[in-house]
Amino acid sequence: MTDWGPLAYHHDVATVLERENPVAFGSLRPMGPTTELDQLLLRQTYRVDALAHAEVHAAVQRAADALGVVAPVEIYVDEGGQRANAELVFVPDRVVLILSGATLNLLDADELCAVAGHELAHHVLWTAQDGRFLAASRLLDAAESDARTPSEYLETARRFRLATELYADRGGMLACGSLTTTVSGLVKLATGLAKVDSAAYLRQAAEVDYSVPSAGSTHPETVLRAWALQEWAERGRGADPLVAAALGPQLDLAVLDVLGQDRLAEVTRALVWMLVDEGTEGTEDTVRSDEALDLAGRFGVVVGQAPVVTDLPTTLGTETRRYLAAVLLDFATADDEGGADDLGAVLALARRVGLGDELLQMIRDELDLGDRAMTRVLAAADSPRTVR
């Protein structure tokens, strides 16, 4: 594949984090190696010597060459590791690869190349753009340890890790040149099996419903990783939107990341703009009392000036739909004198954008309207007019 590189999620999250935390972001870029790491490695690992283990170094060097990694590579086997695994310990000027468990016994040379490529891809990402993505990762990791951190940062940290693993999987496939080899390496490390059928596993992956997002906290499920690799092999960058949706729910108020938070703010402004701007198609649905216009200003909406987003997504989570309906209800009740006309105009717009059921239920639950008043609201919604 020639379109390997950081996912759009990496770029977008780094942009938001750098904008919101410029000082911290700048301080978290790569730092130099430490002598403490060297001593720890000498004490707790077996150093895989290039002369004694030429075939291991050859497989790893093949991955380094494929990914354009020119830093010297050091390979160690963790003495205390029980489960087969591979890990990169990041330092900017060299590649420190630590293997654990039965990794070298489970993998053939091509699979080792793929696994090494995955770890080397982390090095490529962390050194890209002067360490910009490493700074984003470190900032998110630090935020997770602070009890005051908003939930959207915690969700962003989770999705950023998952996206990073999928990016690194692509590096593994680029290193060995084979989808099935990359998948067999993944499955062997995940299961401990010495023999796997990667083609059968890809067929299994195709049966999974990825509209239910990943529940992973550090890595996506192995089956999702196999599916995402196949999507990338077949679609290239066209797979990125599908992959992003599989990592977390989109615009779900209960599970927002920082990108979803920004996106929801844009969607909310779009909805408010539709409601108050007389230049919007369907002007009979607008509410333009002084109170409504003042409320619109608090959302950053200026009459006559279209927001960045001017339409609503076709699919929204239940809680998000209720939130948007609540925004509409605020406008419907902003003017004490508006009465049934304002409620009807707002309900008409809600129906037009697919929020009619939610708003109608909210009106019934939260407003103490009698049957006659409710009839007037429904009649006004059926024959809306601009309310000034």
Side-chain angles (χ1 to χ4, degrees):
M1 303 295 296
T2 59
D3 57 355
W4 181 61
L7 276 64
Y9 195 82
H10 291 113
H11 289 286
D12 293 344
V13 167
T15 297
V16 172
L17 296 182
E18 189 168 19
R19 182 189 72 211
E20 295 184 353
N21 311 274
V23 176
F25 195 92
S27 69
L28 292 171
R29 291 179 183 271
M31 297 177 290
T34 64
T35 56
E36 289 83 355
L37 171 62
D38 293 330
Q39 287 299 310
L40 187 67
L41 291 171
L42 290 172
R43 286 177 178 271
Q44 299 185 3
T45 70
Y46 168 76
R47 184 165 57 196
V48 180
D49 183 78
L51 292 178
H53 302 277
E55 70 287 354
V56 174
H57 277 265
V60 175
Q61 189 59 48
R62 176 183 159 196
D65 292 342
L67 302 185
V69 175
V70 296
V73 178
E74 301 171 9
I75 307 171
Y76 301 86
V77 175
D78 182 8
E79 294 178 3
Q82 300 298 315
R83 176 176 170 272
N85 196 21
E87 178 184 3
L88 176 83
V89 177
F90 178 75
V91 288
D93 59 347
R94 56 186 168 133
V95 174
V96 178
L97 180 62
I98 299 181
L99 308 176
S100 59
T103 298
L104 291 179
N105 296 328
L106 287 175
L107 305 178
D108 65 25
D110 289 338
E111 291 164 343
L112 178 59
C113 177
V115 169
H118 174 103
E119 299 306 327
L120 290 169
H122 284 283
H123 189 275
V124 173
L125 183 64
W126 299 151
T127 54
Q129 298 186 20
D130 194 28
R132 183 167 181 258
F133 305 112
L134 176 66
S137 177
R138 285 174 168 172
L139 192 152
L140 291 169
D141 288 346
E144 283 189 299
S145 65
D146 190 334
R148 299 166 298 177
T149 298
S151 61
E152 62 271 14
Y153 265 69
L154 300 179
E155 177 62 12
T156 303
R158 185 188 75 88
R159 295 192 200 186
F160 197 88
R161 282 193 295 268
L162 303 192
T164 297
E165 293 304 320
L166 296 186
Y167 159 85
D169 285 343
R170 294 178 180 184
M173 188 165 76
L174 185 63
C176 73
S178 167
L179 170 63
T180 54
T181 297
T182 308
V183 170
S184 64
L186 286 174
V187 176
K188 282 185 176 182
L189 292 186
T191 63
L193 292 172
K195 182 179 180 180
V196 299
D197 185 339
S198 55
Y201 194 70
L202 286 167
R203 291 193 296 272
Q204 175 183 332
E207 297 177 26
V208 176
D209 177 10
Y210 296 103
S211 66
V212 178
S214 173
S217 59
T218 62
H219 291 68
E221 297 83 352
T222 305
V223 71
L224 189 156
R225 295 170 70 179
W227 167 81
L229 270 174
Q230 184 159 36
E231 289 294 316
W232 185 59
E234 295 175 354
R235 303 171 185 259
R237 284 294 186 181
D240 285 2
L242 288 173
V243 169
L247 295 185
Q250 306 301 297
L251 284 183
D252 185 336
L253 192 64
V255 197
L256 282 180
D257 63 353
V258 294
L259 302 185
Q261 186 180 52
D262 283 356
R263 172 67 173 160
L264 184 57
E266 293 174 351
V267 168
T268 304
R269 283 191 289 270
L271 183 63
V272 172
W273 179 73
M274 293 177 191
L275 190 61
V276 302
D277 196 308
E278 63 183 356
T280 306
E281 180 183 355
T283 57
E284 68 276 7
D285 302 343
T286 60
V287 174
R288 295 177 55 78
S289 66
D290 290 342
E291 292 82 0
L293 294 176
D294 178 67
L295 184 57
R298 298 179 206 172
F299 282 94
V301 173
V302 179
V303 173
Q305 180 179 321
V308 174
V309 173
T310 57
D311 56 3
L312 269 61
T314 56
T315 57
L316 293 169
T318 300
E319 292 303 313
T320 306
R321 296 172 68 83
R322 286 182 53 81
Y323 155 73
L324 293 174
V327 170
L328 289 175
L329 186 61
D330 284 345
F331 278 87
T333 57
D335 182 4
D336 292 338
E337 303 298 324
D341 284 336
D342 275 18
L343 283 170
V346 175
L347 181 56
L349 174 66
R351 288 172 173 173
R352 183 157 63 86
V353 298
L355 296 170
D357 291 343
E358 287 79 9
L359 180 58
L360 186 58
Q361 188 62 51
M362 201 166 286
I363 290 172
R364 287 172 170 157
D365 290 344
E366 301 189 16
L367 302 183
D368 188 17
L369 300 180
D371 291 342
R372 292 180 64 183
M374 196 69 218
T375 299
R376 288 196 297 270
V377 170
L378 295 174
D382 291 334
S383 302
R385 62 179 182 275
T386 299
V387 180
R388 297 185 180 275

